[in-house]
Amino acid sequence: MLKQEPPPAAPAASATQAASGRYEHVLEQFAHDYLRDRRSDRRWKTFFRLIWVTLALLLVWSMFASRHHGGAASGPHTALVEVRGEIAPDTEASAELINAALKAAFEDQGSQAVVLRINSPGGSPVQAGIVNDEIKRLKALHNKKVYAVVEEICASGAYYIAAGADEIYVDKASVVGSIGVLMDGFGFTEVMKKVGIERRLMTAGENKGMLDPFSPVSPKQQAYAQAMLDQIHQQFIKVVREGRGPRLKETPEMFSGLFWNGEQAVQMGLADGMGNLDYVAREVVKAEDVIDYTPRDNVAERIAKRFGASLGEGAVKAMRSMATIR
């Protein structure tokens, strides 16, 4: 009698194949995801490398450009130096940067005259005085004229600088003047009383805590500060009188800190006429080509200023400058 063979184990083989298929699918999916992630990672790495290469190229270009900025001109030209923004140390309108530009402009044999294009509300009388003194020195040394061209505003310390120019040109709507000095700050004593805060200030020297915003005002110290401001004001007035000479039509309000539009400034002798940079270069200097000698921040400096500034240091500086002279 013949034995009947058992049927093949098809279900088991089918399950094994299904499991194997799922495993292969998982491996395939894993490989696909891995390759996709690797490609994405390479793309991001390439992107950041391109960014850094671009920044490096910009840095090299900016260093090269700043080194050759205002270089030797091919012929006679008008030398331009910009005075923009607040006049203070560590700004674009610091005495250090302006004087460096003035020196380069005067020393260039192709420059026929120097034009200060001013758009500034003023700032430090010390910085302005340093620039004014340098203008006088360079004019005497190189026998070249200096012209000031005012755009929107030339006030306070900016006019201190402009007074050193041979002639001042304005727009009829320019703001000119503010020949005065101020010291600003705050007083918190009344607020401290209401809140119940006690100020504990220790000094060696009776005037060491002078003008402390958290202490009551001392009439004696206030009078001393006012005398100092008056003296600086007289220095400012002297510079304006020397610079403008007989053109100045003095009035009781001229040195009061008031300011005027360009048309009034011309009438008062604070300015000589109407005109912009192109007009002065073309009609006054007679050298229409203009070369800019103003130092410019390069890319590295801008990045450092934007990302490297210390908030703590800024807060300390803000506290220390609560009483500033302008």
Side-chain angles (χ1 to χ4, degrees):
M1 193 171 180
L2 295 174
K3 274 188 177 180
Q4 190 175 2
E5 294 290 336
S14 177
T16 302
Q17 291 176 356
S20 176
R22 285 195 300 271
Y23 179 70
E24 290 176 357
H25 177 73
V26 170
L27 285 177
E28 183 180 353
Q29 185 65 34
F30 175 79
H32 176 74
D33 292 343
Y34 176 76
L35 290 175
R36 184 184 62 190
D37 291 342
R38 291 286 293 176
R39 283 196 295 268
S40 177
D41 187 47
R42 283 198 298 270
R43 282 196 295 267
W44 279 110
K45 284 184 178 179
T46 303
F47 172 76
F48 284 115
R49 284 172 183 165
L50 286 173
I51 290 292
W52 284 112
V53 169
T54 303
L55 286 174
L57 290 174
L58 285 173
L59 176 60
V60 172
W61 175 83
S62 63
M63 291 174 64
F64 179 84
S66 63
R67 191 173 299 165
H68 291 79
H69 187 74
S74 57
H77 63 275
T78 297
L80 171 65
V81 176
E82 302 270 12
V83 180
R84 292 187 176 273
E86 182 187 7
I87 300 168
D90 301 322
T91 66
E92 292 184 4
S94 68
E96 179 183 7
L97 293 181
I98 294 174
N99 284 354
L102 286 170
K103 187 172 183 292
F106 271 97
E107 290 178 350
D108 195 314
Q109 294 182 357
S111 67
Q112 304 302 295
V114 179
V115 172
L116 289 162
R117 183 160 62 180
I118 300 174
N119 188 13
S120 168
S124 164
V126 175
Q127 296 289 301
I130 293 172
V131 175
N132 186 280
D133 290 341
E134 183 68 358
I135 290 173
K136 294 175 183 176
R137 186 187 75 85
L138 291 171
K139 283 199 303 182
L141 181 64
H142 296 280
N143 195 28
K144 292 182 182 180
K145 286 187 175 294
V146 177
Y147 301 96
V149 173
V150 179
E151 289 191 332
E152 276 78 14
I153 183 169
C154 176
S156 193
Y159 192 79
Y160 199 127
I161 290 175
D166 293 283
E167 294 178 7
I168 301 174
Y169 291 86
V170 297
D171 182 85
K172 59 183 177 295
S174 298
V175 176
V176 181
S178 188
I179 302 172
V181 185
L182 69 83
M183 176 182 290
D184 54 355
F186 297 93
F188 299 97
T189 53
E190 295 301 320
V191 174
M192 292 167 61
K193 288 178 183 178
K194 291 179 180 179
V195 178
I197 298 174
E198 179 188 359
R199 171 65 162 164
R200 295 175 180 175
L201 177 65
M202 300 177 64
T203 64
E206 61 175 329
N207 293 310
K208 188 60 180 177
M210 179 175 170
L211 301 179
D212 175 57
F214 304 103
S215 301
V217 175
S218 164
K220 179 182 176 182
Q221 293 175 351
Q222 191 174 27
Y224 179 85
Q226 185 61 54
M228 182 178 63
L229 292 178
D230 291 340
Q231 189 174 13
I232 297 173
H233 189 205
Q234 289 303 315
Q235 295 168 0
F236 193 172
I237 294 172
K238 181 181 178 182
V239 167
V240 173
R241 283 173 172 162
E242 289 177 351
R244 301 302 299 163
R247 292 170 291 183
L248 204 61
K249 299 176 179 63
E250 290 191 27
T251 66
E253 295 181 333
M254 178 167 285
F255 304 125
S256 69
L258 282 179
F259 47 84
W260 299 270
N261 63 40
E263 189 174 0
Q264 292 171 312
V266 173
Q267 295 171 358
M268 299 171 68
L270 293 170
D272 296 282
M274 306 290 178
N276 57 20
L277 171 63
D278 293 334
Y279 170 83
V280 172
R282 183 180 63 251
E283 303 296 336
V284 181
V285 181
K286 307 296 184 183
E288 196 166 356
D289 290 335
V290 177
I291 302 295
D292 190 355
Y293 289 78
T294 312
R296 307 292 184 188
D297 284 347
N298 59 37
V299 175
E301 289 171 336
R302 286 199 295 270
I303 292 174
K305 286 180 180 178
R306 176 171 293 185
F307 298 108
S310 168
L311 294 178
E313 183 180 359
V316 171
K317 285 184 177 179
M319 290 297 294
R320 286 179 177 174
S321 63
M322 292 188 73
T324 56
I325 300 175
R326 298 183 182 279

